[in-house]
Amino acid sequence: MSDCSADEDPRAALAGAKLLLGITGSIAAVKAPGILTSLLRGGAQVEVTLTRGATRFVTATGLAALAGRPVRRFWEEGASPHLELAKWADLVLVAPASADFMGKAASGLGDELLGSILLATRSPVLFFPAMETLIYQHRLVQDNVRRLRETGYRVFEPARGRLASGEEGLGRLPEPGEITAIAGEVLARRRDLAGVGVLVGAGPTREHLDPVRFISSPATGKMGYALAAAAAGRGAKVVLVSGPTLLEPPKGVEVRRVTSAVQMRQAMGAAWPEARVVLMAAAVADFRPAQVAGHKIKKKDAALTVSLLPNPDILAELAGTDRSARVVVGFAAETGPAEAEARRKLREKGLDLVVANDVTEPGAGFEVDTNRVSIISVDRREDLPMLPKAEVAELVLDRVVALLRAK
Ligand code: PMT
């Protein structure tokens, strides 16, 4: 988790924070009173709402007694409090999150108070799924997890261990103390980049041979978009220079779309003066065809020789200019042990950090929603576990914030 705990306890951010705890229909809802108690002990103000499914496992009376206020319901006293609660909450926790509720939330359904609050809130939303492994790993549930993440919600991987069925596996709700610590971290990060200009490069570049053919890479932009979303969530003014991708732009981010490396260089250069942080996750093609045909190249029964020119190294060029007050982060896509190459890039490109990923490892690198990275600086190397890209982004930003404070 965040190393903001190095000098301050992230739970300190809970004091006085306004949290909404949404409990949904999973047997793990029996842990909800523990979560509520833990959040209250941290000094948070907590409003609680239950879905209909959750009432089979916990009672509104018991939770109200712990919270010292009534559990919130749809149409209480003739009006629905969804807008009031959506605006009030600094943070929304869905714990446990059932497969059924995640499916509804991923479809934008608001037939329960919690669903309506999610549609109306602009505060961070954290989902803690809890269910049997077979259900969690079902393709439809995983599709819903992906949609929720693409919407900007944080969906945490469940823990491994003994499940309600008696089987061992993935699907347990984390312990209340862990959920409280995560909530504290998210709150502590909330405004730590407020007003800071952050420039992100994402996606592939395309180097056209003719109007319908190009040299490119499998990059989808997921890593860069996760960084942009995380920075915006922490209050940064984000410019996202994006190569071609099908992804929706994250909320609150200014997107500048480009196709080729030369265009990306131009767009990054234009945004550089306003940026105090530069995060370059784009997979820039190192070469471009020397000549671009104006029409589709006709098929022939002879070999076609293409002459390639080197593309500019965007990051090296930018980092080579005045960057004394900036933090510049590159990524290193490696196809084997990454450290030596990553360190060479750190040195030669003059970067503050390199985030190295082995793109041959299943679940890491191009296209997937997860990544396993090492964060490398001149004097440190930190190996992170396999995590959703949204989590990797937060952890990279934790390091960036620490470096900015030191500048
Ligand atoms: O988009 P996804 O599908 O989520 O995939 C994510 C990713 C694998 C693309 C990402 O995690 C990643 O590793 N991005 C960097 C890919 C890369 O080009 O690495 P590199 O080792 O070739 O380049 C090192 C650094 O220099 C990178 O920050 C790169 O953006 C930058 N560079 C490279 C070449 C160039 N001509 N100009 C550059 O600025």
Side-chain angles (χ1 to χ4, degrees), residues 77-148:
E77 291 156 29
S80 169
H82 61 286
L83 273 184
E84 167 213 325
L85 288 171
K87 289 183 188 162
W88 172 84
D90 296 324
L91 182 66
V92 179
L93 306 175
V94 183
S98 66
D100 177 76
F101 183 76
M102 289 198 296
K104 283 182 174 166
S107 305
L109 295 185
D111 65 330
E112 304 234 33
L113 177 59
L114 183 56
S116 300
I117 291 170
L118 294 191
L119 293 175
T121 191
R122 295 298 173 262
S123 294
V125 177
L126 316 183
F127 280 81
F128 293 92
M131 63 201 72
E132 292 294 322
T133 312
L134 284 173
I135 298 175
Y136 184 64
Q137 290 176 339
H138 192 284
R139 199 176 135 192
L140 291 173
V141 174
Q142 286 301 309
D143 278 351
N144 289 331
V145 167
R146 192 167 50 252
R147 285 186 76 184
L148 292 171

Side-chain angles (χ1 to χ4, degrees), residues 1-6 189 338-339 342-343 353-357 372-385 387 391-392 394-400 402-403:
M1 291 297 145
S2 157
D3 75 355
C4 61
S5 56
R189 287 165 174 163
E339 181 160 4
R343 288 206 174 278
L353 293 177
V354 165
V355 182
N357 40 197
R372 185 202 298 277
V373 305
S374 299
I375 303 179
I376 295 171
S377 59
V378 175
D379 54 0
R380 206 172 154 200
R381 165 181 153 181
E382 198 183 352
D383 298 326
L384 301 183
L387 290 169
E391 279 305 293
V392 173
E394 295 290 355
L395 294 170
V396 169
L397 289 180
D398 287 346
R399 311 302 175 267
V400 166
L403 287 171

Side-chain angles (χ1 to χ4, degrees), residues 205-237:
T205 66
R206 287 181 182 173
E207 312 300 329
H208 275 271
L209 280 161
D210 70 14
V212 297
R213 299 186 183 93
F214 51 79
I215 298 169
S216 191
S217 79
T220 55
K222 286 181 178 176
M223 191 63 249
Y225 276 54
L227 288 162
R234 294 161 81 140
K237 287 193 281 181

Side-chain angles (χ1 to χ4, degrees), residues 28 31 129-131 157-163 169-175:
K31 284 187 185 168
M131 63 201 72
E157 283 296 295
R160 283 186 181 277
R162 196 175 166 79
L163 305 173
L170 187 69
R172 273 179 74 83
L173 187 67
E175 293 309 313

Side-chain angles (χ1 to χ4, degrees), residues 220-221 223 280-282 312 314-315 331 345 349 357 367 389:
T220 55
M223 191 63 249
M280 188 57 163
I314 302 169
L315 199 55
F331 274 66
K345 288 171 186 170
K349 299 190 192 223
N357 40 197
E367 298 176 287
K389 283 181 175 167

